[in-house]
Amino acid sequence: MENLENQHIEQQEESSIDFAQIFAAIKKRKRLYYKVLPVTFVVACIIALSLPNYYSCQVMLAPELSSSRGSSSLSALASQFGFGMGSAANGADALGPQLYPDLMNSVDFKVSLFDVSVHKKDSTRIMSYYDYMAHEQKRPWWGTVLSAPFKLIGAILGSKKDTIDQHKVNTFMLTREQTAIAKAIDSKVVCDVDKKTMVITINVTDQDPLIAATIADSVKHRLQNFITDYRTKKAKVDLAFTQKLYDEAKARYVKARQLYASFSDANQDIILESVRSKQTDLENDMQLQFNAYSALAQQLQAAEAKVQQETPAFTTLQSATVPVQKSGPKRGQMVIIFLFLAFLGTTVWILHKEDQLKPLLGL
């Protein structure tokens, strides 16, 4: 028993951390810090200064939430994204805004931003957002250096070219460049919905402050239009069908009325029973056509009211504003993080060389 206790005490003594030795080991090789930290500072400054500035613009919307609306259009929209509406107690509208980020992530929505007209804050040249993303984006120098060998290898081996027309946008089959720009837009345009208040927040990040605000405002309007189209699609189809029936019923009524009037004018002094019977038939047919026309006129008014009822309302809580100050990059924080990691790595390396790392880790 005494031998086991002595061994246990010896192991505790061996595994105990001697901070004096650790400090002595670091002090012994302190000159290494004088070499590593300045170099790290210079490298961190070069990297931080090579990153382009970016600006953020935020737009906030509050959608109308009404449980009295029908849920058919929202159910169809939810099914496209794999969500089941179920028998939610809060009604269809309570779940509707939760689908907006999925809608903005769709290819159709991102591609719809390609033709938005933009121009930089320091320039008057107007271009499409697609051209701006493809040709006007600033990149750090190492991105060009690293991509140059791949471009050279592709040029030597002969990379495959798209057989699709570059000037046309087909969401079913995008080109490589169009796909890359759609992915870039996905990272720049972000939509978030507060699950408690259902407030929609749209954040747009871009290297130019004016373009960031322009795209944020455009995304807001396009999102409203997309949601309005989804919500009113069924009602608009019903309205178009009712309008068609109304026009046909009106044409039949006008024709029946003209036939009745013409026949009555041509047979005013004739008292033959066959003529009166024909006139009665024409009058009855005219009345039937009028009744159908009158009923469809009421249905048409109801369909128009239904479209207006299904049209959602949005309250703008925060409009798009051109940002004055940049959002990033945080160059000071980057330099501090680099210096901290360099100091930590140098310390670990020194403790390893001085055989102080294993006791520190309890090995």
Side-chain angles (χ1 to χ4, degrees), residues 35-85:
K35 297 178 182 179
V36 173
L37 294 182
V39 173
T40 303
F41 178 79
V42 173
V43 172
C45 289
I46 294 175
I47 294 176
L49 293 174
S50 300
L51 295 174
N53 295 333
Y54 59 86
Y55 301 82
S56 297
C57 181
Q58 186 179 86
V59 176
M60 299 179 68
L61 297 172
E64 177 190 25
L65 301 177
S66 174
S67 59
S68 61
R69 296 184 183 275
S71 61
S72 58
S73 58
L74 280 181
S75 299
L77 174 60
S79 62
Q80 294 181 5
F81 294 106
F83 294 98
M85 298 296 288

Side-chain angles (χ1 to χ4, degrees), residues 149-161:
F150 296 98
K151 291 182 179 179
L152 181 60
I153 294 174
I156 295 174
L157 298 179
S159 59
K160 296 181 180 180
K161 295 183 179 180

Side-chain angles (χ1 to χ4, degrees), residues 232-248 296 299-307:
T232 60
K233 184 177 181 179
K234 178 65 167 56
K236 287 181 177 179
V237 170
D238 294 341
L239 174 61
F241 181 71
T242 305
Q243 182 70 51
K244 179 183 177 181
L245 296 179
Y246 170 81
D247 294 337
E248 293 175 353
L296 286 170
Q299 293 181 19
L300 181 62
Q301 292 179 352
E304 292 174 346
K306 183 65 174 178
V307 172

Side-chain angles (χ1 to χ4, degrees), residues 197-231:
T197 62
M198 292 302 167
V199 173
I200 307 167
T201 302
I202 301 172
N203 285 292
V204 178
T205 304
D206 200 89
Q207 296 177 4
D208 187 87
L210 179 58
I211 292 180
T214 302
I215 296 300
D217 186 68
S218 179
V219 168
K220 181 191 74 170
H221 290 292
R222 288 171 186 265
L223 178 62
Q224 291 175 347
N225 293 336
F226 265 66
I227 298 303
T228 300
D229 291 340
Y230 274 115
R231 292 289 303 275

Side-chain angles (χ1 to χ4, degrees), residues 17-35:
I17 300 174
D18 192 343
F19 290 100
Q21 291 184 3
I22 292 175
F23 181 75
I26 293 175
K27 187 175 180 181
K28 179 181 178 181
R29 294 179 178 261
K30 63 181 180 181
R31 293 182 178 274
L32 186 60
Y33 291 104
Y34 301 155
K35 297 178 182 179

Side-chain angles (χ1 to χ4, degrees), residues 104-139:
M104 288 184 59
N105 289 332
S106 65
V107 176
D108 291 327
F109 190 89
K110 289 182 286 188
V111 167
S112 70
L113 299 175
F114 284 0
D115 59 349
V116 177
S117 298
V118 298
H119 71 87
K120 294 183 178 180
K121 187 177 181 181
D122 56 354
S123 174
T124 58
R125 184 169 69 91
I126 298 177
M127 70 192 91
S128 66
Y129 190 51
Y130 179 90
D131 292 334
Y132 168 75
M133 292 291 295
H135 307 294
E136 300 293 331
Q137 289 290 288
K138 297 178 182 178
R139 296 176 176 83

